[in-house]
Amino acid sequence: SSSSVSTPKEEVNIWCIFTKAAGNASMKYKLLTFTHSLVENANSVMISLHVIVDTSSQRIAQEILQSVKDTLKKDIKISFYDVNQIAKDLKSLVAAMQPHFSSQPGSYYSDSLFFLSLGLHRIAPVSMSRAAMFDIDTKVLTDVGKLFELFESFGNDTLFALAPELSPVYRHVLYLYRSKNPSSKIGDPIATGGFPGLNSGVILFALDRLRNSPMYPHLVHAFNVTSLTKKYSFKGHLGDQDFYTLLGFEHPELVSVIPCNWNRQLCTWWSDHGYRDVMPQYAQCEGKVHVWHGNCNTPIPVT
Ligand code: UDP
Ligand code: MN
């Protein structure tokens, strides 16, 4: 700035989950890549990072984050939250989701982490009104302040915003519903005017609205989750994003869709498993990549 008076930068709250990292070099490398790229490019905002951890992963994260601060000579705020405490606090929410959206519905605590985002407004300090959550298998190439500008385009009722799923996974999962309802758009690619579902690698939260919503507790109640999955003959395995996908289709006013560039998924698994012909329609995403998402352990391109 040419001005001698510097105004303090706006603080943005970024959440991520970092558990079971002990002895896992790949998890450590992912957290380093995510946090280094996030902090390096965040020029317009001050980052406050909120990391959900287990005890041994917290020590690992502390070391990685210290090295990021030292290397970039930038300060960030860091807070840690205990994954086991959060899993306890959100026990009934997880119990409502898990039977329908988990690959191993029996393994109760171990995969509750995949549903925690749905209760983030109950975990975050009440003074926090907006937040973003990132998977750690991501790399951020744009100032994250630009992502937070998308809050300004939220509708009056928007609670969450996510980017589209860029694979035909919901075409597959919704096979039965789609064959009985051939005119439905759910599971179709955006390229043909469809709704391919949502990917939870990057999520924006209107936390204050979630806390004040009279409707949301009912939407995540076991009774409603079960009836929603029955309506769509839906049995998923991708955790929170299965619920965001159904919610986004059933109640589009509650979930807005952000540009695919903010969550450019790289997984090509479905291309090799029966969907090679349609994969390009789903994966299509024009324009500058803001966030790479190396989902299903796909390496992120070196730039
Ligand atoms: N995660 C974690 N520990 C694990 C598995 C997952 O902390 O053992 C967190 C991590 O933030 C990760 C997110 O959960 O990015 C979602 O998992 P992943 O990215 O592996 O799923 P994918 O995007 O490949 O579906
Ligand atoms: Mn991921």
Side-chain angles (χ1 to χ4, degrees):
S1 167
S2 57
S3 165
S4 59
V5 183
S6 64
T7 48
K9 287 177 181 175
E10 181 204 350
E11 182 176 294
V12 295
N13 293 296
I14 310 277
W15 289 76
C16 66
I17 301 174
F18 186 66
T19 62
K20 295 179 247 176
N24 188 334
S26 159
M27 283 285 292
K28 297 176 198 176
Y29 181 71
K30 284 173 180 172
L31 185 69
L32 177 62
T33 303
F34 162 56
T35 55
H36 186 279
S37 62
L38 172 74
V39 175
E40 182 174 35
N41 292 299
N43 298 317
S44 69
V45 289
M46 166 80 187
I47 302 274
S48 183
L49 188 66
H50 305 267
V51 191
I52 298 170
V53 288
D54 53 46
T55 310
S56 53
S57 303
Q58 176 170 345
R59 279 193 289 272
I60 296 165
Q62 268 161 336
E63 231 174 85
I64 292 169
L65 293 168
Q66 190 58 50
S67 82
V68 168
K69 289 203 264 189
D70 293 346
T71 313
L72 294 172
K73 298 187 172 58
K74 270 186 168 179
D75 200 23
I76 59 170
K77 284 193 200 171
I78 301 166
S79 319
F80 291 103
Y81 303 79
D82 174 19
V83 69
N84 294 306
Q85 185 58 50
I86 294 175
K88 273 182 204 156
D89 295 344
L90 302 180
K91 191 171 172 167
S92 67
L93 172 82
V94 174
M97 300 289 163
Q98 227 217 7
H100 309 288
F101 308 133
S102 176
S103 51
Q104 295 155 307
S107 60
Y108 188 85
Y109 261 128
S110 80
D111 68 1
S112 59
L113 72 135
F114 297 112
F115 299 100
L116 303 184
S117 74
L118 293 163
L120 189 70
H121 58 289
R122 294 167 48 193
I123 302 311
V126 287
S127 59
M128 193 184 296
S129 59
R130 289 173 171 182
M133 183 178 261
F134 282 75
D135 273 10
I136 62 154
D137 57 341
T138 53
K139 185 172 183 179
V140 185
L141 307 183
T142 298
D143 184 343
V144 77
K146 291 273 173 219
L147 177 65
F148 278 74
E149 286 176 12
L150 298 177
F151 278 106
E152 307 313 324
S153 62
F154 274 29
N156 291 135
D157 298 316
T158 310
L159 301 176
F160 304 101
L162 299 87
E165 168 65 35
L166 298 180
S167 86
V169 61
Y170 294 113
R171 182 192 190 96
H172 181 82
V173 169
L174 291 160
Y175 177 82
L176 189 61
Y177 180 81
R178 287 164 51 83
S179 66
K180 288 179 179 163
N181 301 273
S183 64
S184 176
K185 296 277 179 200
I186 191 169
D188 276 343
I190 287 179
T192 66
F195 181 76
L198 300 165
N199 184 281
S200 59
V202 177
I203 311 173
L204 294 178
F205 302 85
L207 295 173
D208 47 357
R209 289 184 184 174
L210 279 156
R211 292 185 195 106
N212 294 325
S213 167
M215 197 181 175
Y216 188 71
H218 296 288
L219 292 170
V220 296
H221 191 274
F223 180 81
N224 182 68
V225 179
T226 300
S227 58
L228 197 57
T229 56
K230 282 213 177 94
K231 174 174 175 182
Y232 292 100
S233 307
F234 190 102
K235 177 68 192 82
H237 62 283
L238 295 177
D240 58 0
Q241 79 165 49
D242 289 337
F243 183 72
Y244 290 119
T245 292
L246 291 178
L247 193 64
F249 193 66
E250 192 76 359
H251 298 285
E253 74 283 4
L254 303 181
V255 186
S256 69
V257 183
I258 63 174
C260 58
N261 318 263
W262 285 104
N263 179 357
R264 183 74 178 83
Q265 300 127 240
L266 290 160
C267 181
T268 58
W269 193 88
W270 289 98
S271 189
D272 301 325
H273 292 82
Y275 292 89
R276 182 164 304 253
D277 52 340
V278 296
M279 184 70 186
Q281 285 182 273
Y282 287 85
Q284 189 182 317
C285 181
E286 307 291 329
K288 180 192 186 306
V289 173
H290 300 311
V291 177
W292 287 118
H293 183 186
N295 53 336
C296 76
N297 289 313
T298 312
I300 290 172
V302 184
T303 41

